[in-house]
Amino acid sequence: MSRQNPGGVKKRDAAARSAEEILKELGVEATRVEVPASEKEVQTILARASKEKLKVLPMGGGTSLGVAVLPEKVDLALDMRGMNSICELDPRNLNIVVEAGKSIKSINQELSQVERGFMLPLDPPRSQEATLGGAYAANMSGPLRHLYGLLRDQVLGVRGVNVEGSQVAFGGITVKNVSGYDLTKFLIGSAGSLCVVTQVALRILPVPEASGVCRIEFPSDSDLEGFLSELRQSVLLPSAVVARWEAGDAVKLLTVALEGHPKAVERQAREIQEMGARHGGSGRILEGRDTFLESLRLAVDPQGEIHRILALKVSVPIAQGLGAAKAVEDLAVRGSLKVDLALLAGNGVFFAYATDQSDQLLREFSKGVRETALRMGGHVLPVWGPRGALEGWGPRIDPAVGRNVVMPIKQSWDPWGVLLPVGL
Amino acid sequence: MQRKQLVQEVVSIVGKGNVLEDKASLAVYEYDASLFQGRPDVVAFPTDTQQVAQLVKLANREKVPFLARGAGTNLSGGTAPTRGGIIIDLCRMRRILEIDTNNQTALVEPGVYNLTLQNALAPLGYYYAPDPASQKVSTLGGNVGENSGGPHCLKYGVTSNHVLGAEVVLPNGEVVWLGGAAETPGPDLMGLFVGSEGTLGIATKILVRIMRQPEHVVTILGIFQSLEEAGQTVSDIIGQGIIPATLEIMDNLVIRAVEASVKAGYPEDAEAVLIIELDGLADGMDEQAQRIEEICKANNVVSVRRAKDNTERAELWAGRRGAFGAVARLRPSYLVCDGTVPRTKLPDALRAVKEVSKKYGLPIGNVFHAGDGNLHPLILFDGRNPQELEKVHKAGTEILEAVARLGGTISGEHGIGTEKLKEMRLIFREEDLEMMRRIKKAMDPAELCNPGKLVPPPAQEAVGHA
C-alpha cells in the first residue's frame, strides 16, 4: 500500500488513527491511500480514477464506514481528513461552511469560542473522530436530534466532486431554498456511492443560556417505560433523552439533557426529577455546559476496544424504541454476548455495541437484530465492525426502491462504478 | 392515441363521474396561481393509489404527459399543463388516514388541506409545523411537491423537515414507499422527492411528523416608521441569541392594502410592521419578550403591542395571512417573487427591489419572512396590458438577479416550476444542472411526468419565457 499527499498543505490530525489502520480493521485492502488537501486535488484524482476505471473509497475517521458497502479490495482510499478547514463562518446569519474532513468535535470546539458561543447540534457516536463528511455520508446523528432534528435538518448546502472530476454544488446558505432538486438532502446517507463530498454548509445556533443534565437510574424496564411514556405526553422540551445499559442489567441509566432560558432549565430539571421519582427512579442534577456535553458523549459512545466491537444502529417507530431495544437485549443474553445499548428515547433509534472474539456469534446476533427490527417496522445498519461480522449482510435498501429509483440514479451518476456500490 | 380514445381509457380507470373533458371545464385547469397556462386533454379525479398508478401506466403506454395537481395554488407555474396531457387531480383523495400521537405521526392522503390537518390535530394538543399562508386552501400533496414553508420556518424548518415518508407512484407507474416512520438506509429519497414539484412521481399517501403544541406563545407587533429599522430589529434579536418562531415584516403598501381589506388594526401611515412570535415553555418567555421589546425600542419602534390572548393573537396574524389576497384590491394582477438572501443582506435586497420598482414604474409591495431572509416582493400590474406584462417578467428577473448577487437563492418556498427555469442559471452551473437532469432522466426516461418543469434544458436547447 502506498500513500500520497499530493498537495501536502494540510495534514489530518496526527493523533487520529491512520486510514491504513481503519481499513485493516474493516478488512479492506487498498492499493493506495491519498490524502487530498483541496477540492482541486479531489477533482484530479477522480478524473484519473474514471479514466483508469479505478475503484475509489472515500473515507473520514472510519466511525461509520460500516454503513457503506465495502468491497474487499479497492484501488484507492481517499482519506478526506486532509480537508479540515472552516471555509466560512457567519454567526450573524447563523451558518457555517466546513470542509468534509473536519471532525465534528473540533467544529464545535471552534464554534464555542466565537463571540457569545455557537454550536452545531450534531453529536453522533465517536464525534471526536467522526468527520462531518462521514456523518453526512452515513446519515449519522446523536442524542441532540431529540430537540434539534437530524443532520438533514441542519444541512443547508453541499459541494462535492462527481466521478468525472467536476465540481458540483447544491443548496446554499439559507434555510429556505427550493431551487431545483434538493440534492443536499438526497446525498445524505448515500455512503460514498454517488459523489465525493468536499464541503458542507450548515445551520448553527447560539449556545443556550443555561445547560443541565438529569441522570436518573431506573430499577426496571417497566419503570423506565412508564417514565418515557409520561415524558412523551408532557410539554417539556428536553434536548436529549438517552437510556444506557448493558444487556442483562436490570438497572437503566437515563440521561436527560436540558437547555434554554435558566428558568426553563431549572423547572424542567425539577419536574423531570419528580417524574423520575414517581416511576421508581433516583438521580441527580448536574449543571454546566461541559458537564452537559460530556454526559451526552458518555451516554452514546462505545466503551472498550473499538476494533472488536460490532456497532449496529437500529431505527424503529418512536413508540417501539424501548421494546425493540429490550428484544435485542434478550438476543444478547440468550447468545451470551456482551452488548451495550444506547437508546435515544423519543426517537426510536438505538445503538447496540456487541463485543465478542467470534465473528460467527456477532453475525448471528446481527441477523437476529435485523429480524427484530424488521418485525417492528424498522431497519438496521452496521456502523462499524470486524469484517467477518459484517459479511453476508445482504440488501440494505428496499428492493423495489433500489430497482426503480436508486440503481437508475447510480448508473447515471457513476456508470463505471468508480465509487462504492449502493446497498442492494 | 386520439383524445377521444384517451378520455375513454381514463373513464375506464376512474369512472365517468371522475373525469372532466368538456372545453369549459378544461379551461379552469389551464392555469395555477402563476402567470403560465396550458390546455390539458383531460382531467381525472382518482380516488385511490391504484387508480393513480393505472393512469400513470396509461400515460406511459400512450406517451402522454401527465401532472398531479392539488388546489392549484402553485405560484411558479409548476402545475400549469404547459404540454397538455392528463391532469391527475388529487382533491378527491382527502382522508386523514391515521393520527398516531404515540409515534408522533399522521398519515394523510394528498388532497387533505393543510388547515384540515391542523384542525384535526389541535384538539389532541398536537400540530403540524409547516403553515404556508395558503394553508386554508393548499393541499398537503401540493405542500410536499413544493416543499412549502410558512412563517414558522425560522425555528421549525420547511415541509421537508416534517415529512417522514410517502407512498409514491413513480413515473413508470410502480408504487413504492419512500422513507417511513423509522429511518431508512440509503440516500435520503424523501429529501429528493419533497420539493421535486411532481416531476419524480405522485405522492398518494404522506406520513408527516406532528408535534406537541407549545405550552406558551407570545405574539408581539412592532410598528416602525422605517423598513430598515424593522429589519435591523430582526438582526438584533437573533444577534442576542434569541430564535423566535416567527419574524414577519410587511411594508407600507401592503399595510394599506391589508387595512382596506382585513382591517387588522395596523396604522396606515406606518412604514413597516414586524410580527414576532415566541413559543415554548412559559418559564423565561416573559423575560425574552421584554428583551425583544427593548430591542424594538432601541430601533425607534413607534409602538409595540403584545397580544393578551388567542383572540388578539389571531387579530395580529389576520393581516399577515390575508396580505396576498389584500393586494389584489390595488391592481388587477400581481406577481409574487420569491427569493431568499442571508438575513443580513435583507436591506440590500429591499433597496434592489425599490430600484426595480422605480425603473419599470411598477408598484411593488413587500411581505417577507424576515427571520429567514425570504422576500416576497409583490409586483402589481394589469395583466390585460401586454406591455406591462413584459415589464413584470423583466422586473421579476432583475429582482432574482439581485438576490443571487447577494449570495441568496431564487426560490425560498414557491418553487421553480415554469417561471424560473431561465433563472436557475443564476445560481447553478451547467455541471450542477446536469446532475439534476440525470436524476430526472433516470426516473422518467420518456419525460412524461410533469415535463418541462424545475430543471432547464441544456444550454443549447434552452428557450426563453413563454
Side-chain angles (χ1 to χ4, degrees):
Chain A
M1 193 188 290
S2 67
R3 149 174 290 276
Q4 288 181 19
N5 180 352
V9 180
K10 290 183 286 186
K11 297 277 174 65
R12 61 174 172 75
D13 177 2
R17 289 185 316 146
S18 70
E20 290 85 346
E21 281 175 80
I22 294 165
L23 292 173
K24 193 177 167 195
E25 282 166 18
L26 291 163
V28 180
E29 189 188 332
T31 310
R32 200 165 72 241
V33 173
E34 295 204 19
V35 190
S38 71
E39 189 175 75
K40 201 83 196 151
E41 289 174 14
V42 178
Q43 287 182 254
T44 307
I45 291 166
L46 281 181
R48 194 181 70 228
S50 286
K51 204 172 155 193
E52 297 174 12
K53 309 282 182 286
L54 303 178
K55 301 283 179 203
V56 178
L57 186 161
M59 61 180 291
T63 58
S64 52
L65 256 181
V67 308
V69 179
L70 295 174
E72 284 181 27
K73 195 165 186 266
V74 293
D75 300 300
L76 180 62
L78 212 51
D79 183 350
M80 296 301 290
R81 290 174 296 175
M83 293 181 65
N84 53 23
S85 299
I86 291 179
C87 310
E88 290 169 41
L89 171 59
D90 185 353
R92 291 176 69 205
N93 284 306
L94 299 177
N95 63 54
I96 188 170
V97 182
V98 188
E99 285 187 324
K102 191 165 183 64
S103 82
I104 291 163
K105 181 157 188 185
S106 70
I107 297 170
N108 269 314
Q109 277 170 338
E110 290 186 38
L111 280 175
S112 69
Q113 304 300 315
V114 176
E115 297 172 10
R116 50 166 294 118
F118 289 85
M119 65 172 187
L120 171 65
L122 181 66
D123 56 348
R126 300 171 66 192
S127 52
Q128 183 145 3
E129 305 153 81
T131 61
L132 177 60
Y136 177 92
N139 186 19
M140 294 298 287
S141 49
L144 287 172
R145 59 181 279 166
H146 188 81
L147 184 65
Y148 299 103
L150 299 160
L151 180 80
R152 75 194 298 278
D153 301 308
Q154 318 299 335
V155 173
L156 303 174
V158 67
R159 231 164 91 157
V161 178
N162 68 14
V163 292
E164 288 123 58
S166 299
Q167 184 222 89
V168 289
F170 309 108
I173 50 170
T174 56
V175 172
K176 280 187 176 170
N177 188 347
V178 292
S179 308
Y181 292 128
D182 189 349
L183 301 190
T184 303
K185 285 206 175 61
F186 171 61
L187 292 170
I188 294 173
S190 59
S193 64
L194 294 170
C195 74
V196 175
V197 171
T198 53
Q199 286 181 16
V200 185
L202 305 127
R203 288 175 90 166
I204 55 171
L205 289 168
V207 172
E209 283 182 72
S211 309
V213 168
C214 291
R215 299 186 77 184
I216 309 172
E217 282 189 355
F218 288 93
S220 74
D221 294 342
S222 59
D223 294 323
L224 175 63
E225 197 166 6
F227 172 88
L228 291 176
S229 175
E230 189 177 340
L231 182 63
R232 218 168 31 236
Q233 299 303 319
S234 78
V235 295
L236 302 181
L237 295 167
S239 302
V241 185
V242 192
R244 181 74 184 244
W245 72 98
E246 190 178 322
D249 280 357
V251 175
K252 269 80 185 166
L253 176 65
L254 189 74
T255 304
V256 183
L258 306 165
E259 292 170 295
H261 191 278
K263 281 187 175 176
V265 170
E266 191 189 322
R267 170 195 160 190
Q268 292 198 87
R270 190 179 63 248
E271 289 190 13
I272 281 169
Q273 214 174 20
E274 287 165 5
M275 198 186 288
R278 279 200 295 281
H279 293 279
S282 61
R284 60 198 176 117
I285 298 167
L286 306 167
E287 290 172 3
R289 190 71 190 166
D290 289 344
T291 309
F292 172 96
L293 295 172
E294 183 61 6
S295 297
L296 287 180
R297 189 189 71 74
L298 288 172
V300 79
D301 269 8
Q303 291 164 354
E305 286 183 68
I306 294 295
H307 71 279
R308 280 314 310 166
I309 294 174
L310 168 66
L312 302 175
K313 177 185 165 188
V314 183
S315 305
V316 291
I318 290 173
Q320 307 267 25
L322 183 57
K326 278 159 55 183
V328 167
E329 180 181 14
D330 287 345
L331 285 172
V333 171
R334 280 207 303 273
S336 304
L337 272 177
K338 178 183 165 4
V339 175
D340 267 333
L341 294 149
L343 169 68
L344 311 187
N347 296 106
V349 168
F350 62 92
F351 294 96
Y353 301 121
T355 312
D356 201 273
Q357 295 304 316
S358 161
D359 288 345
Q360 172 68 23
L361 272 182
L362 291 173
R363 271 202 303 275
E364 282 169 17
F365 172 69
S366 62
K367 186 167 175 269
V369 176
R370 271 180 288 165
E371 286 166 1
T372 303
L374 206 62
R375 206 172 53 243
M376 296 178 133
H379 306 274
V380 184
L381 269 179
V383 185
W384 75 86
R387 175 109 209 160
L390 296 176
E391 269 168 9
W393 189 270
R396 297 159 193 220
I397 299 171
D398 172 73
V401 172
R403 195 175 55 248
N404 286 292
V405 183
V406 182
M407 272 316 288
I409 294 174
K410 167 72 174 171
Q411 278 160 5
S412 72
W413 277 40
D414 181 16
W416 312 286
V418 168
L419 295 170
L420 296 175
V422 292
L424 279 172
Chain B
M1 181 184 264
Q2 294 294 311
R3 184 176 164 271
K4 197 174 167 188
Q5 201 185 337
L6 179 70
V7 172
Q8 279 172 357
E9 294 263 10
V10 171
V11 167
S12 74
I13 294 170
V14 295
K16 202 167 185 314
N18 288 325
V19 175
L20 291 176
E21 52 124 350
D22 62 288
K23 207 172 166 185
S25 300
L26 293 182
V28 179
Y29 287 83
E30 285 182 5
Y31 55 88
D32 52 19
S34 72
L35 303 178
F36 292 84
Q37 291 186 8
R39 171 66 61 95
D41 293 304
V42 58
V43 181
F45 299 88
T47 52
D48 64 33
T49 303
Q50 284 318 308
Q51 289 183 355
V52 175
Q54 284 175 46
L55 288 167
V56 171
K57 282 182 177 162
L58 166 67
N60 270 275
R61 200 171 62 236
E62 301 304 332
K63 301 281 175 273
V64 176
F66 61 94
L67 77 88
R69 179 181 161 114
T73 55
N74 187 292
L75 288 157
S76 57
T79 43
T82 49
R83 295 192 191 173
I86 306 170
I87 285 188
I88 300 174
D89 189 322
L90 298 159
C91 69
R92 292 184 192 173
M93 292 175 70
R94 52 170 182 247
R95 289 175 300 164
I96 295 173
L97 299 169
E98 185 184 34
I99 292 175
D100 180 353
T101 54
N102 263 334
N103 283 305
Q104 295 167 5
T105 59
L107 183 66
V108 299
E109 289 186 324
V112 173
Y113 296 125
N114 180 299
L115 192 62
T116 305
L117 178 62
Q118 307 286 10
N119 290 340
L121 292 171
L124 307 173
Y126 282 79
Y127 75 111
Y128 170 64
D131 58 344
S134 60
Q135 68 177 162
K136 276 185 197 169
V137 288
S138 66
T139 62
L140 289 163
N143 292 176
V144 167
E146 293 303 307
N147 195 9
S148 301
H152 289 84
C153 297
L154 170 63
K155 187 169 175 182
Y156 295 109
V158 291
T159 297
S160 184
N161 303 108
H162 298 272
V163 175
L164 299 171
E167 180 188 71
V168 174
V169 177
L170 294 171
N172 62 6
E174 291 285 317
V175 181
V176 295
W177 256 96
L178 305 180
E183 274 177 48
T184 46
D188 185 349
L189 297 174
M190 263 333 286
L192 173 65
F193 186 77
V194 176
S196 62
E197 303 192 16
T199 63
L200 300 180
I202 301 171
T204 46
K205 290 190 183 82
I206 302 162
L207 185 71
V208 300
R209 183 160 70 103
I210 58 173
M211 296 163 67
R212 289 280 302 181
Q213 280 173 350
E215 181 187 45
H216 195 53
V217 179
V218 171
T219 307
I220 299 168
L221 179 79
I223 307 290
F224 292 83
Q225 276 312 336
S226 144
L227 198 55
E228 284 72 26
E229 284 169 345
Q232 188 58 45
T233 304
V234 168
S235 286
D236 291 350
I237 289 169
I238 291 172
Q240 288 227 1
I242 302 170
I243 310 289
T246 297
L247 286 161
E248 298 281 302
I249 293 182
M250 284 175 278
D251 74 0
N252 177 262
L253 188 145
V254 178
I255 291 167
R256 282 186 285 124
V258 163
E259 278 311 300
S261 160
V262 183
K263 302 200 188 318
Y266 306 151
E268 289 192 39
D269 60 347
E271 281 302 311
V273 299
L274 167 63
I275 299 175
I276 307 154
E277 194 156 276
L278 295 166
D279 68 8
L281 292 174
D283 308 73
M285 201 178 283
D286 267 354
E287 285 88 337
Q288 280 201 335
Q290 270 167 25
R291 272 164 64 191
I292 286 173
E293 287 170 1
E294 280 158 21
I295 294 168
C296 288
K297 283 174 191 158
N299 283 293
N300 304 317
V301 71
V302 176
S303 71
V304 62
R305 179 151 59 107
R306 215 189 284 190
K308 291 189 192 70
D309 51 33
N310 280 341
T311 312
E312 271 198 28
R313 185 178 163 229
E315 279 168 18
L316 296 186
W317 271 108
R320 171 60 187 89
R321 294 212 183 275
F324 281 18
V327 294
R329 290 173 158 255
L330 304 178
R331 297 294 305 273
S333 320
Y334 67 85
L335 173 74
V336 188
C337 298
D338 169 38
T340 304
V341 292
R343 192 170 31 250
T344 52
K345 301 286 186 189
L346 270 174
D348 299 313
L350 290 169
R351 251 191 307 278
V353 170
K354 215 171 185 173
E355 280 164 20
V356 169
S357 170
K358 201 172 158 191
K359 178 176 171 183
Y360 290 101
L362 293 165
I364 304 183
N366 284 291
V367 182
F368 50 103
H369 309 298
D372 307 316
N374 186 194
L375 296 148
H376 289 317
L378 300 159
I379 308 177
L380 311 184
F381 66 103
D382 184 345
R384 295 164 296 189
N385 178 341
Q387 281 106 4
E388 205 168 41
L389 185 61
E390 199 184 324
K391 283 202 289 183
V392 168
H393 281 302
K394 283 182 183 163
T397 298
E398 284 185 28
I399 288 171
L400 294 179
E401 283 168 356
V403 160
R405 268 198 311 277
L406 292 166
T409 188
I410 58 170
S411 182
E413 56 185 359
H414 296 171
I416 299 303
T418 311
E419 182 188 287
K420 296 181 187 173
L421 286 172
K422 196 175 61 171
E423 286 81 4
M424 282 285 275
R425 288 195 170 80
L426 295 173
I427 53 168
F428 290 112
R429 297 170 318 129
E430 204 50 41
E431 290 86 343
D432 311 328
L433 295 171
E434 176 55 25
M435 301 314 278
M436 294 188 199
R437 279 186 214 111
R438 286 185 198 177
I439 286 183
K440 172 69 174 166
K441 188 88 180 163
M443 290 182 66
D444 180 22
E447 216 195 325
L448 298 172
C449 185
N450 201 11
K453 312 285 171 64
L454 190 73
V455 185
Q460 62 272 26
E461 296 171 31
V463 288
H465 272 309

